[in-house]
Coordinates of all heavy atoms in Angstrom, one line a residue:
T56 N 17.4 -31.9 -25.2 CA 16.4 -32.2 -26.2 C 15.3 -33.1 -25.6 O 14.1 -32.8 -25.9 CB 17.1 -33.1 -27.4 OG1 18.1 -32.3 -27.9 CG2 16.1 -33.5 -28.4
R57 N 15.6 -34.0 -24.8 CA 14.6 -34.8 -24.1 C 13.7 -34.0 -23.2 O 12.5 -34.2 -23.2 CB 15.2 -36.0 -23.4 CG 15.8 -37.1 -24.2 CD 16.6 -38.1 -23.4 NE 17.3 -39.0 -24.3 CZ 16.7 -40.1 -24.8 NH1 15.5 -40.4 -24.6 NH2 17.5 -40.9 -25.5
D58 N 14.3 -33.1 -22.5 CA 13.6 -32.1 -21.6 C 12.6 -31.3 -22.5 O 11.4 -31.2 -22.0 CB 14.5 -31.2 -20.9 CG 15.2 -31.9 -19.8 OD1 14.9 -33.1 -19.4 OD2 16.2 -31.3 -19.3
L59 N 13.0 -30.8 -23.6 CA 12.2 -30.0 -24.4 C 11.0 -30.8 -25.0 O 9.9 -30.3 -25.2 CB 13.0 -29.2 -25.4 CG 13.8 -28.1 -24.9 CD1 14.9 -27.7 -25.8 CD2 12.9 -26.9 -24.5
I60 N 11.3 -32.0 -25.5 CA 10.2 -32.8 -26.0 C 9.2 -33.1 -25.0 O 8.0 -33.0 -25.2 CB 10.9 -34.1 -26.6 CG1 11.7 -33.8 -27.8 CG2 9.8 -35.2 -26.9 CD1 12.5 -35.0 -28.3
K61 N 9.6 -33.4 -23.8 CA 8.7 -33.6 -22.7 C 7.8 -32.4 -22.4 O 6.7 -32.5 -21.9 CB 9.4 -34.1 -21.4 CG 10.0 -35.4 -21.4 CD 10.7 -35.7 -20.1 CE 11.5 -37.0 -20.2 NZ 12.4 -37.2 -19.0
K62 N 8.4 -31.2 -22.6 CA 7.7 -30.0 -22.4 C 6.8 -29.5 -23.6 O 6.3 -28.4 -23.5 CB 8.6 -28.9 -21.9 CG 9.2 -29.2 -20.6 CD 10.3 -28.2 -20.2 CE 10.9 -28.7 -18.8 NZ 12.2 -28.1 -18.6
G63 N 6.8 -30.3 -24.6 CA 5.9 -30.1 -25.7 C 6.5 -29.2 -26.9 O 5.7 -28.8 -27.7
V64 N 7.8 -29.0 -26.8 CA 8.4 -28.2 -27.9 C 8.4 -29.1 -29.2 O 8.7 -30.3 -29.1 CB 9.8 -27.8 -27.6 CG1 10.5 -27.1 -28.7 CG2 9.7 -26.9 -26.3
S65 N 8.0 -28.5 -30.3 CA 7.9 -29.3 -31.6 C 9.3 -29.8 -32.1 O 10.3 -29.2 -31.9 CB 7.3 -28.4 -32.7 OG 8.2 -27.4 -33.1
I66 N 9.2 -30.9 -32.7 CA 10.4 -31.5 -33.4 C 11.0 -30.5 -34.4 O 12.2 -30.4 -34.5 CB 10.1 -32.9 -34.0 CG1 9.6 -33.9 -32.9 CG2 11.3 -33.4 -34.8 CD1 10.7 -34.2 -31.9
E67 N 10.1 -29.8 -35.1 CA 10.5 -28.9 -36.1 C 11.4 -27.8 -35.5 O 12.4 -27.5 -36.0 CB 9.3 -28.2 -36.8 CG 9.6 -27.2 -37.8 CD 8.4 -26.5 -38.4 OE1 7.4 -26.4 -37.7 OE2 8.5 -26.0 -39.6
K68 N 11.0 -27.3 -34.3 CA 11.7 -26.2 -33.7 C 13.1 -26.8 -33.2 O 14.1 -26.1 -33.3 CB 10.9 -25.7 -32.5 CG 11.6 -24.5 -31.8 CD 10.7 -23.9 -30.8 CE 9.9 -22.8 -31.5 NZ 9.2 -21.9 -30.5
L69 N 13.1 -28.0 -32.7 CA 14.3 -28.6 -32.2 C 15.3 -28.9 -33.4 O 16.5 -28.6 -33.3 CB 14.0 -29.9 -31.5 CG 13.2 -29.7 -30.1 CD1 12.9 -31.1 -29.6 CD2 14.0 -28.9 -29.2
A70 N 14.7 -29.3 -34.5 CA 15.5 -29.6 -35.7 C 16.2 -28.4 -36.3 O 17.3 -28.4 -36.8 CB 14.7 -30.3 -36.7
L71 N 15.4 -27.2 -36.2 CA 15.9 -26.0 -36.8 C 16.6 -25.0 -35.8 O 17.0 -23.9 -36.2 CB 14.8 -25.3 -37.5 CG 14.2 -26.0 -38.7 CD1 13.0 -25.3 -39.2 CD2 15.3 -26.3 -39.7

Side-chain angles (χ1 to χ4, degrees):
T56 300
R57 289 174 188 274
D58 288 346
L59 286 161
I60 290 170
K61 287 178 189 173
K62 291 173 183 159
V64 175
S65 72
I66 297 299
E67 181 184 24
K68 186 172 272 192
L69 296 175
L71 294 176

